[in-house]
Amino acid sequence: MCLSISDSDDEDMSKTDIQSIIESFTSIEQALDYFEIGYDSQFIDEFRTQLIKRFNGYLILDKPEDWFAARRALKNAYCKIQRSRLDKHTRQACRGCTTCQRR
């Protein structure tokens, strides 16, 4: 018996794999390490709940198809919280966000 796997099956398997990996994390630090995102531990201690909520929100809005999409969601969550702490009336660069592309 020969089984053929179509491209859509590969996509579904990839989505399931990344989602199960994300669900297996027990801390946000594990997710940051897995997605190779540098972070400030003081920042994580202070904003852990906000970061987790924002990351989960991004995952709900747009289910990640692969490692890169999930990484982008986590980076966006981390950066959004960093930028929200900056003074809105000045043009400051993001500080402490070691992977920020908006510097």
XYZ file of all heavy atoms in Angstrom:
850
model
N 0.850 -1.178 0.000
C 0.000 0.000 0.000
C 0.891 1.234 0.000
O 1.817 1.329 0.781
C -0.893 -0.029 1.237
C -1.770 1.181 1.359
S -2.654 1.167 2.910
C -4.248 0.669 2.333
N 0.596 2.198 -0.851
C 1.386 3.417 -0.963
C 0.530 4.610 -0.555
O -0.558 4.801 -1.087
C 1.876 3.569 -2.406
S 2.871 5.028 -2.635
N 1.017 5.388 0.400
C 0.294 6.578 0.838
C 0.949 7.804 0.242
O 2.157 7.948 0.280
C 0.316 6.693 2.365
C -0.380 5.583 3.127
C -0.151 5.792 4.608
C -1.856 5.591 2.825
N 0.135 8.682 -0.291
C 0.689 9.945 -0.786
C 0.209 11.066 0.124
O -0.938 11.081 0.564
C 0.248 10.204 -2.224
O -1.135 10.406 -2.264
N 1.101 11.977 0.396
C 0.765 13.109 1.253
C 0.754 14.357 0.393
O 1.734 14.675 -0.274
C 1.790 13.257 2.386
C 1.796 11.998 3.246
C 1.520 14.485 3.215
C 2.859 11.992 4.310
N -0.367 15.044 0.400
C -0.468 16.272 -0.383
C 0.142 17.429 0.395
O 0.419 17.327 1.585
C -1.933 16.566 -0.715
O -2.618 16.899 0.465
N 0.320 18.564 -0.279
C 0.880 19.750 0.367
C 0.012 20.227 1.519
O 0.508 20.688 2.526
C 1.046 20.881 -0.653
C 2.165 20.584 -1.633
O 3.028 19.748 -1.301
O 2.180 21.189 -2.721
N -1.305 20.130 1.378
C -2.189 20.601 2.447
C -2.026 19.749 3.701
O -2.127 20.243 4.806
C -3.647 20.608 1.985
O -4.070 19.295 1.699
N -1.760 18.446 3.518
C -1.510 17.596 4.673
C -0.229 18.021 5.382
O -0.158 18.024 6.605
C -1.408 16.127 4.270
C -2.756 15.545 3.888
O -3.790 16.146 4.259
O -2.780 14.505 3.212
N 0.809 18.386 4.615
C 2.055 18.858 5.204
C 1.821 20.128 6.009
O 2.364 20.297 7.087
C 3.115 19.132 4.128
C 3.677 17.844 3.542
O 3.547 16.791 4.201
O 4.245 17.901 2.437
N 1.005 21.035 5.479
C 0.703 22.281 6.180
C -0.027 21.998 7.484
O 0.293 22.578 8.516
C -0.143 23.203 5.308
C 0.640 23.973 4.284
C -0.243 24.934 3.512
O -1.260 25.399 4.071
O 0.088 25.219 2.362
N -1.017 21.112 7.442
C -1.769 20.781 8.650
C -0.860 20.150 9.697
O -0.971 20.455 10.880
C -2.926 19.838 8.327
C -4.023 20.509 7.511
O -4.079 21.754 7.518
O -4.804 19.789 6.871
N 0.040 19.278 9.254
C 0.963 18.642 10.183
C 1.898 19.685 10.784
O 2.183 19.656 11.975
C 1.752 17.543 9.479
C 0.898 16.339 9.131
S 1.791 15.123 8.172
C 2.877 14.471 9.403
N 2.362 20.629 9.987
C 3.262 21.669 10.468
C 2.574 22.548 11.506
O 3.149 22.872 12.540
C 3.743 22.508 9.286
O 4.448 23.623 9.743
N 1.326 22.945 11.228
C 0.564 23.761 12.169
C 0.360 23.015 13.487
O 0.514 23.587 14.555
C -0.807 24.132 11.582
C -0.774 25.254 10.593
C -2.182 25.575 10.151
C -2.195 26.631 9.087
N -3.545 26.956 8.652
N 0.014 21.745 13.384
C -0.213 20.942 14.576
C 1.076 20.814 15.375
O 1.055 20.921 16.600
C -0.735 19.543 14.192
O -1.916 19.707 13.412
C -1.038 18.720 15.413
N 2.202 20.610 14.696
C 3.479 20.465 15.381
C 3.837 21.729 16.150
O 4.194 21.661 17.321
C 4.593 20.130 14.392
C 4.460 18.739 13.806
O 3.700 17.927 14.370
O 5.116 18.477 12.786
N 3.761 22.886 15.527
C 4.155 24.125 16.187
C 3.184 24.451 17.320
O 3.592 24.937 18.372
C 4.318 25.296 15.190
C 5.087 26.468 15.841
C 2.997 25.779 14.666
C 6.487 26.183 16.192
N 1.918 24.174 17.133
C 0.942 24.438 18.190
C 1.185 23.526 19.391
O 1.092 23.964 20.535
C -0.478 24.278 17.661
C -0.880 25.413 16.743
C -2.223 25.179 16.076
O -2.783 24.094 16.128
N -2.731 26.212 15.417
N 1.512 22.269 19.147
C 1.779 21.365 20.265
C 3.072 21.747 20.985
O 3.161 21.613 22.207
C 1.830 19.908 19.798
O 2.904 19.715 18.906
N 4.049 22.242 20.254
C 5.286 22.708 20.880
C 4.998 23.905 21.774
O 5.462 23.968 22.911
C 6.350 23.048 19.817
C 6.854 21.771 19.158
C 7.505 23.829 20.433
C 7.716 21.992 17.942
N 4.226 24.868 21.258
C 3.884 26.057 22.040
C 3.106 25.664 23.294
O 3.350 26.192 24.374
C 3.095 27.066 21.182
C 4.011 27.660 20.110
C 2.497 28.172 22.040
C 3.286 28.470 19.050
N 2.179 24.734 23.164
C 1.387 24.286 24.311
C 2.229 23.568 25.361
O 1.869 23.545 26.529
C 0.253 23.376 23.841
C -0.825 24.110 23.089
C -1.828 23.181 22.419
O -1.721 21.945 22.612
O -2.698 23.684 21.704
N 3.368 23.019 24.954
C 4.219 22.286 25.894
C 5.072 23.206 26.776
O 5.619 22.756 27.778
C 5.131 21.312 25.139
O 6.160 22.023 24.464
N 5.174 24.486 26.415
C 5.979 25.410 27.216
C 5.338 25.618 28.580
O 4.134 25.796 28.688
C 6.128 26.766 26.523
C 6.879 26.720 25.222
C 6.469 27.488 24.150
C 8.009 25.931 25.064
C 7.147 27.461 22.954
C 8.696 25.894 23.865
C 8.266 26.659 22.806
N 6.170 25.639 29.616
C 5.673 25.884 30.967
C 5.994 27.299 31.439
O 5.503 27.721 32.477
C 6.264 24.870 31.964
O 7.688 24.958 31.923
C 5.811 23.461 31.621
N 6.823 28.023 30.681
C 7.138 29.405 31.024
C 7.404 30.193 29.749
O 7.743 29.617 28.708
C 8.354 29.483 31.948
O 9.529 29.142 31.247
N 7.255 31.502 29.844
C 7.500 32.357 28.682
C 8.984 32.347 28.316
O 9.340 32.483 27.148
C 6.958 33.793 28.911
C 6.888 34.571 27.600
C 7.791 34.525 29.936
C 5.896 34.056 26.603
N 9.846 32.129 29.303
C 11.283 32.056 29.022
C 11.604 30.877 28.095
O 12.467 30.992 27.228
C 12.099 31.926 30.315
C 12.126 33.170 31.164
C 10.989 33.262 32.173
O 10.046 32.444 32.101
O 11.045 34.163 33.015
N 10.898 29.763 28.279
C 11.095 28.615 27.386
C 10.739 28.983 25.957
O 11.438 28.606 25.016
C 10.243 27.431 27.830
C 10.768 26.707 29.037
C 9.872 25.527 29.399
O 8.669 25.535 29.120
N 10.456 24.517 30.021
N 9.650 29.722 25.790
C 9.239 30.138 24.447
C 10.269 31.084 23.847
O 10.647 30.945 22.669
C 7.867 30.806 24.494
N 10.739 32.041 24.626
C 11.742 32.991 24.134
C 13.029 32.275 23.741
O 13.624 32.579 22.699
C 12.014 34.063 25.191
C 10.876 35.051 25.419
C 11.048 35.778 26.746
C 10.778 36.045 24.269
N 13.448 31.313 24.533
C 14.648 30.540 24.209
C 14.431 29.690 22.961
O 15.300 29.623 22.088
C 15.061 29.653 25.382
C 15.612 30.447 26.559
O 16.078 31.596 26.349
O 15.569 29.923 27.686
N 13.280 29.036 22.874
C 12.992 28.179 21.720
C 12.991 28.975 20.414
O 13.512 28.516 19.405
C 11.637 27.478 21.908
C 11.254 26.622 20.732
C 11.837 25.375 20.552
C 10.318 27.057 19.792
C 11.498 24.582 19.460
C 9.981 26.271 18.704
C 10.576 25.040 18.548
O 10.253 24.259 17.459
N 12.436 30.184 20.470
C 12.360 31.005 19.261
C 13.577 31.911 19.098
O 13.580 32.808 18.254
C 11.073 31.834 19.248
C 9.843 30.989 19.097
C 8.910 30.910 20.103
C 9.630 30.255 17.949
C 7.778 30.117 19.961
C 8.507 29.456 17.789
C 7.581 29.395 18.809
N 14.607 31.672 19.910
C 15.883 32.377 19.809
C 15.712 33.894 19.878
O 16.253 34.639 19.080
C 16.608 31.967 18.526
C 16.907 30.486 18.459
C 17.452 30.048 17.114
O 17.618 30.898 16.223
O 17.692 28.841 16.969
N 14.939 34.332 20.866
C 14.697 35.752 21.074
C 15.386 36.155 22.376
O 15.104 35.582 23.430
C 13.189 36.059 21.150
C 12.524 35.698 19.818
C 12.943 37.514 21.506
C 11.018 35.810 19.831
N 16.278 37.134 22.273
C 16.951 37.628 23.460
C 15.976 38.428 24.319
O 15.057 39.053 23.799
N 16.178 38.401 25.620
C 15.239 39.102 26.507
C 15.940 39.553 27.781
O 16.992 39.043 28.150
C 14.036 38.224 26.844
C 14.387 36.922 27.538
C 14.420 36.830 28.922
C 14.677 35.783 26.799
C 14.732 35.647 29.552
C 14.994 34.593 27.415
C 15.019 34.520 28.787
O 15.339 33.348 29.407
N 15.335 40.511 28.420
C 15.797 41.034 29.694
C 14.965 40.372 30.797
O 13.743 40.512 30.815
C 15.627 42.554 29.701
C 16.018 43.199 31.011
O 16.781 42.581 31.779
O 15.559 44.321 31.266
N 15.615 39.666 31.702
C 14.870 38.917 32.717
C 14.095 39.834 33.661
O 13.019 39.461 34.133
C 15.797 37.993 33.509
O 16.841 38.729 34.089
N 14.604 41.032 33.918
C 13.854 41.990 34.746
C 12.556 42.389 34.061
O 11.510 42.490 34.690
C 14.678 43.249 35.000
C 15.445 43.230 36.278
C 16.125 44.574 36.502
O 16.481 45.268 35.563
N 16.299 44.922 37.756
N 12.634 42.629 32.759
C 11.452 42.981 31.981
C 10.431 41.848 32.041
O 9.246 42.077 32.248
C 11.846 43.273 30.528
C 10.679 43.526 29.625
C 10.081 44.771 29.576
C 10.168 42.518 28.829
C 8.990 45.006 28.754
C 9.088 42.736 28.001
C 8.498 43.990 27.962
N 10.898 40.618 31.883
C 10.004 39.458 31.909
C 9.342 39.340 33.272
O 8.134 39.102 33.372
C 10.762 38.158 31.563
C 11.332 38.231 30.151
C 9.859 36.940 31.716
C 10.321 38.386 29.058
N 10.114 39.516 34.340
C 9.547 39.426 35.689
C 8.448 40.466 35.893
O 7.426 40.188 36.507
C 10.636 39.617 36.751
C 11.597 38.447 36.802
O 11.247 37.356 36.292
O 12.711 38.620 37.337
N 8.647 41.667 35.350
C 7.695 42.751 35.550
C 6.456 42.644 34.653
O 5.345 42.965 35.065
C 8.388 44.090 35.312
C 7.555 45.291 35.689
C 8.342 46.591 35.585
O 9.580 46.550 35.516
O 7.684 47.648 35.560
N 6.647 42.195 33.417
C 5.560 42.208 32.437
C 5.175 40.817 31.936
O 4.613 40.669 30.852
C 5.946 43.098 31.245
C 6.150 44.524 31.625
C 7.425 45.018 31.834
C 5.075 45.372 31.784
C 7.624 46.338 32.200
C 5.250 46.693 32.142
C 6.535 47.178 32.357
N 5.439 39.796 32.721
C 5.175 38.406 32.320
C 3.723 38.195 31.888
O 3.453 37.666 30.813
C 5.515 37.475 33.484
C 5.226 36.014 33.220
C 5.564 35.157 34.425
N 6.895 35.425 34.948
C 8.019 34.865 34.461
N 7.944 34.010 33.475
N 9.187 35.153 34.993
N 2.778 38.619 32.705
C 1.364 38.377 32.408
C 0.937 39.081 31.125
O 0.268 38.484 30.279
C 0.492 38.846 33.585
O 0.930 38.177 34.769
C -0.968 38.522 33.347
N 1.340 40.341 30.972
C 0.989 41.083 29.753
C 1.579 40.419 28.518
O 0.915 40.319 27.482
C 1.506 42.520 29.836
C 0.742 43.399 30.757
C 1.345 44.795 30.794
O 2.560 44.968 30.648
N 0.508 45.784 30.995
N 2.820 39.967 28.617
C 3.486 39.329 27.484
C 2.787 38.030 27.099
O 2.533 37.776 25.917
C 4.954 39.073 27.817
C 5.807 38.431 26.739
C 5.802 39.274 25.463
C 7.226 38.236 27.225
N 2.441 37.233 28.083
C 1.757 35.967 27.805
C 0.395 36.222 27.167
O 0.027 35.583 26.175
C 1.625 35.130 29.096
C 3.005 34.663 29.553
C 0.694 33.945 28.888
C 3.026 34.044 30.934
N -0.350 37.191 27.713
C -1.671 37.501 27.148
C -1.566 37.998 25.714
O -2.331 37.592 24.843
C -2.376 38.547 28.007
C -2.920 38.008 29.307
C -3.616 39.099 30.086
C -4.178 38.589 31.393
N -4.844 39.659 32.155
N -0.619 38.887 25.454
C -0.475 39.436 24.102
C -0.036 38.352 23.121
O -0.548 38.258 22.019
C 0.492 40.600 24.086
C 0.557 41.224 22.710
C 0.972 42.637 22.673
N 0.280 43.545 23.550
C -0.784 44.271 23.195
N -1.306 44.130 22.004
N -1.306 45.129 24.036
N 0.916 37.512 23.522
C 1.382 36.411 22.670
C 0.230 35.465 22.360
O 0.004 35.111 21.191
C 2.531 35.681 23.364
C 3.084 34.511 22.597
C 3.382 34.603 21.244
C 3.334 33.310 23.235
C 3.912 33.519 20.549
C 3.856 32.232 22.552
C 4.137 32.330 21.205
N -0.528 35.079 23.377
C -1.677 34.197 23.150
C -2.712 34.865 22.247
O -3.324 34.208 21.413
C -2.311 33.790 24.477
C -1.482 32.769 25.217
O -0.731 32.012 24.618
N -1.602 32.758 26.527
N -2.907 36.163 22.419
C -3.841 36.895 21.561
C -3.417 36.860 20.107
O -4.244 36.634 19.210
N -2.128 37.061 19.859
C -1.621 37.002 18.485
C -1.780 35.598 17.903
O -2.077 35.438 16.719
C -0.160 37.427 18.418
C 0.081 38.917 18.560
C 1.262 39.404 19.075
C -0.879 39.849 18.174
C 1.497 40.767 19.205
C -0.655 41.210 18.301
C 0.534 41.661 18.809
O 0.760 43.007 18.923
N -1.593 34.582 18.749
C -1.748 33.199 18.271
C -3.200 32.890 17.942
O -3.481 32.126 17.023
C -1.225 32.210 19.319
C 0.273 32.257 19.595
C 0.621 31.267 20.701
C 1.083 31.969 18.342
N -4.128 33.484 18.696
C -5.549 33.270 18.426
C -5.954 33.980 17.134
O -6.688 33.425 16.317
C -6.405 33.759 19.609
C -6.216 32.822 20.802
C -7.883 33.845 19.228
C -6.813 33.342 22.100
N -5.469 35.208 16.955
C -5.833 35.982 15.760
C -5.335 35.341 14.478
O -6.020 35.348 13.466
C -5.274 37.404 15.863
C -5.960 38.316 16.870
C -5.209 39.633 16.980
C -7.400 38.560 16.462
N -4.119 34.814 14.524
C -3.515 34.257 13.321
C -2.745 32.998 13.698
O -1.628 33.076 14.210
C -2.578 35.282 12.678
C -2.085 34.852 11.318
O -2.753 34.018 10.677
O -1.027 35.358 10.888
N -3.350 31.858 13.472
C -2.716 30.592 13.832
C -1.380 30.465 13.099
O -1.330 30.590 11.868
C -3.590 29.406 13.441
C -4.935 29.381 14.124
C -4.814 28.893 15.530
C -6.187 28.733 16.132
N -6.242 29.121 17.494
N -0.285 30.245 13.827
C 1.022 30.139 13.172
C 1.115 28.880 12.325
O 0.696 27.804 12.748
C 2.003 30.104 14.342
C 1.219 29.602 15.495
C -0.186 30.074 15.270
N 1.669 29.066 11.143
C 1.818 27.934 10.232
C 3.142 27.219 10.431
O 3.269 26.060 10.075
C 1.708 28.414 8.788
C 0.339 28.942 8.451
C 0.235 29.387 7.009
O 1.166 29.122 6.223
O -0.778 29.987 6.663
N 4.140 27.944 10.947
C 5.453 27.345 11.127
C 6.213 28.069 12.233
O 5.670 28.962 12.887
C 6.244 27.382 9.817
C 6.374 28.785 9.237
O 6.071 29.772 9.944
O 6.786 28.899 8.081
N 7.456 27.678 12.436
C 8.300 28.245 13.472
C 8.439 29.750 13.302
O 8.389 30.509 14.279
C 9.666 27.560 13.410
C 10.640 27.966 14.469
C 10.769 27.421 15.702
C 11.631 28.997 14.379
N 11.782 28.044 16.396
C 12.330 29.012 15.606
C 11.993 29.892 13.393
C 13.363 29.890 15.861
C 13.034 30.784 13.648
C 13.699 30.773 14.877
N 8.606 30.196 12.068
C 8.827 31.615 11.801
C 7.604 32.462 12.139
O 7.726 33.552 12.691
C 9.233 31.828 10.332
C 10.538 31.164 9.999
C 10.553 29.965 9.316
C 11.738 31.717 10.396
C 11.751 29.339 9.022
C 12.943 31.099 10.109
C 12.955 29.900 9.418
N 6.430 31.977 11.828
C 5.202 32.716 12.133
C 4.984 32.804 13.647
O 4.589 33.849 14.168
C 4.004 32.056 11.463
N 5.260 31.725 14.356
C 5.121 31.734 15.811
C 6.160 32.651 16.441
O 5.863 33.403 17.369
C 5.259 30.310 16.358
N 7.376 32.642 15.903
C 8.432 33.530 16.395
C 8.042 34.986 16.186
O 8.224 35.832 17.051
C 9.747 33.222 15.684
C 10.909 34.080 16.153
C 12.201 33.680 15.429
N 13.353 34.241 16.080
C 13.883 35.423 15.774
N 13.352 36.167 14.832
N 14.956 35.872 16.417
N 7.481 35.281 15.025
C 7.053 36.647 14.709
C 5.979 37.115 15.701
O 5.999 38.250 16.168
C 6.524 36.704 13.275
C 6.311 38.086 12.744
C 5.898 38.087 11.266
N 6.615 37.122 10.444
C 6.088 36.024 9.921
N 4.815 35.734 10.108
N 6.818 35.196 9.191
N 5.058 36.238 16.062
C 4.012 36.583 17.019
C 4.610 36.917 18.386
O 4.212 37.889 19.030
C 3.005 35.442 17.147
N 5.583 36.130 18.823
C 6.215 36.382 20.122
C 7.055 37.652 20.091
O 7.019 38.462 21.013
C 7.065 35.183 20.548
C 7.728 35.271 21.921
C 6.709 35.596 23.013
C 8.458 33.984 22.236
N 7.792 37.864 19.003
C 8.586 39.089 18.875
C 7.690 40.317 18.865
O 7.998 41.331 19.494
C 9.409 39.067 17.578
C 10.712 38.346 17.686
C 11.483 38.397 16.398
C 12.015 39.784 16.156
N 12.957 39.880 15.067
N 6.580 40.236 18.153
C 5.652 41.363 18.092
C 5.057 41.659 19.465
O 4.885 42.817 19.838
C 4.540 41.100 17.076
C 5.035 41.186 15.651
O 6.094 41.734 15.375
N 4.280 40.615 14.735
N 4.741 40.615 20.222
C 4.199 40.810 21.567
C 5.232 41.472 22.467
O 4.930 42.434 23.187
C 3.766 39.464 22.156
N 6.457 40.989 22.435
C 7.532 41.532 23.253
C 7.776 42.996 22.900
O 7.842 43.867 23.766
C 8.797 40.702 23.039
C 9.925 41.016 23.989
C 10.058 40.326 25.180
C 10.872 41.989 23.694
C 11.092 40.589 26.062
C 11.909 42.264 24.563
C 12.015 41.561 25.738
O 13.041 41.838 26.603
N 7.861 43.280 21.625
C 8.154 44.626 21.158
C 6.990 45.580 21.449
O 7.205 46.737 21.816
C 8.474 44.601 19.672
S 9.219 46.116 19.072
N 5.767 45.123 21.303
C 4.592 45.964 21.561
C 4.582 46.455 23.011
O 4.317 47.630 23.285
C 3.319 45.178 21.247
C 2.035 45.898 21.557
C 1.761 46.973 20.556
C 0.369 47.546 20.796
N 0.053 48.602 19.900
N 4.897 45.574 23.930
C 4.928 45.963 25.339
C 6.084 46.925 25.587
O 5.926 47.920 26.286
C 5.021 44.724 26.245
C 3.731 43.913 26.110
C 5.251 45.119 27.699
C 3.781 42.559 26.730
N 7.241 46.659 24.981
C 8.377 47.566 25.117
C 8.013 48.962 24.616
O 8.271 49.960 25.283
C 9.582 47.058 24.308
C 10.421 46.058 25.012
C 11.254 46.693 26.111
O 11.334 47.897 26.250
N 11.873 45.851 26.907
N 7.435 49.027 23.432
C 7.104 50.326 22.834
C 6.008 51.047 23.593
O 5.994 52.272 23.654
C 6.703 50.149 21.366
C 7.906 49.868 20.481
C 7.522 49.735 19.025
N 6.798 48.484 18.851
C 5.609 48.373 18.259
N 5.007 49.407 17.763
N 5.032 47.203 18.157
N 5.103 50.320 24.218
C 4.023 50.961 24.972
C 4.547 51.674 26.214
O 3.889 52.565 26.739
C 2.960 49.940 25.364
O 3.450 49.069 26.360
N 5.736 51.314 26.664
C 6.330 51.935 27.840
C 7.084 53.223 27.503
O 7.434 53.977 28.397
C 7.301 50.957 28.499
C 6.601 49.690 28.964
C 7.573 48.660 29.501
N 8.380 49.227 30.563
C 9.698 49.059 30.649
N 10.337 48.354 29.761
N 10.373 49.592 31.660
N 7.318 53.492 26.230
C 8.072 54.679 25.818
C 7.201 55.924 25.860
O 5.980 55.848 25.734
C 8.624 54.494 24.404
C 9.591 53.331 24.205
C 9.946 53.196 22.735
C 10.846 53.527 25.040
N 7.840 57.072 26.016
C 7.148 58.357 26.014
C 6.549 58.592 24.628
O 7.243 58.535 23.615
C 8.121 59.473 26.371
C 7.452 60.823 26.474
O 6.200 60.879 26.450
O 8.178 61.825 26.581
N 5.267 58.857 24.582
C 4.563 59.010 23.299
C 4.894 60.332 22.596
O 4.675 60.482 21.413
C 3.052 58.934 23.540
C 2.646 57.745 24.367
C 1.992 56.694 23.558
C 1.475 55.545 24.361
N 2.411 54.649 24.941
N 5.430 61.292 23.352
C 5.679 62.619 22.782
C 7.094 62.800 22.249
O 7.405 63.825 21.679
C 5.373 63.694 23.835
C 3.957 63.603 24.333
N 2.867 63.909 23.539
C 3.456 63.200 25.527
C 1.754 63.711 24.231
N 2.082 63.282 25.439
N 7.938 61.820 22.447
C 9.295 61.893 21.907
C 9.514 60.694 21.002
O 8.816 59.696 21.080
C 10.350 61.880 23.036
O 10.233 60.667 23.756
C 10.164 63.056 23.970
N 10.505 60.808 20.174
C 10.819 59.705 19.269
C 11.975 58.901 19.851
O 13.105 59.050 19.439
C 11.164 60.245 17.901
C 9.984 60.905 17.223
C 10.386 61.351 15.860
N 10.869 60.200 15.122
C 10.474 59.876 13.911
N 9.583 60.611 13.299
N 10.965 58.835 13.299
N 11.678 58.086 20.827
C 12.700 57.277 21.466
C 12.842 55.938 20.758
O 11.877 55.412 20.206
C 12.337 56.994 22.917
C 12.399 58.198 23.813
C 12.010 57.815 25.224
O 11.011 57.145 25.436
N 12.809 58.244 26.179
N 14.041 55.415 20.825
C 14.270 54.070 20.305
C 13.869 53.062 21.367
O 13.891 53.356 22.559
C 15.732 53.895 19.940
N 13.497 51.911 20.941
C 13.124 50.834 21.847
C 14.367 50.408 22.625
O 15.400 50.143 22.044
C 12.593 49.679 21.002
S 11.589 48.515 21.872
N 14.269 50.365 23.946
C 15.405 49.963 24.783
C 15.101 48.641 25.464
O 13.994 48.400 25.892
C 15.674 51.017 25.850
C 16.271 52.248 25.289
C 16.743 53.143 26.414
N 16.580 54.510 25.940
C 15.881 55.433 26.545
N 15.275 55.166 27.668
N 15.785 56.635 26.040
N 16.122 47.809 25.576
C 15.945 46.540 26.274
C 15.403 45.445 25.384
O 15.460 44.281 25.722
N 14.880 45.808 24.253
C 14.344 44.837 23.308
C 15.495 44.419 22.401
O 15.791 45.094 21.421
C 13.202 45.474 22.521
S 12.325 44.357 21.448
N 16.145 43.339 22.739
C 17.380 42.969 22.062
C 17.174 42.547 20.612
O 18.115 42.521 19.836
C 18.084 41.824 22.817
O 17.166 40.730 22.909
C 18.512 42.273 24.198
N 15.951 42.241 20.232
C 15.709 41.789 18.861
C 14.829 42.751 18.087
O 14.306 42.405 17.034
C 15.063 40.393 18.857
O 13.846 40.473 19.601
C 15.965 39.355 19.448
N 14.643 43.957 18.610
C 13.720 44.909 17.980
C 14.216 45.344 16.608
O 15.369 45.732 16.452
C 13.519 46.125 18.868
S 12.292 47.263 18.220
N 13.343 45.322 15.650
C 13.672 45.754 14.300
C 13.264 47.198 14.082
O 13.455 47.747 13.024
C 12.979 44.863 13.287
C 13.450 43.421 13.373
C 12.629 42.514 12.476
O 11.626 42.901 11.902
N 13.064 41.280 12.359
N 12.713 47.840 15.109
C 12.226 49.210 14.973
C 13.206 50.218 15.560
O 12.858 51.338 15.815
C 10.871 49.343 15.671
C 9.803 48.551 14.974
C 8.530 48.579 15.784
N 7.459 47.898 15.104
C 7.223 46.601 15.176
N 7.995 45.847 15.912
N 6.219 46.071 14.538
N 14.434 49.804 15.850
C 15.421 50.724 16.423
C 15.860 51.742 15.414
O 15.958 51.561 14.271
C 16.645 49.962 16.895
C 16.367 49.201 18.156
C 17.653 48.706 18.666
N 17.431 47.332 19.073
C 18.286 46.625 19.713
N 19.433 47.102 20.011
N 18.033 45.404 20.069
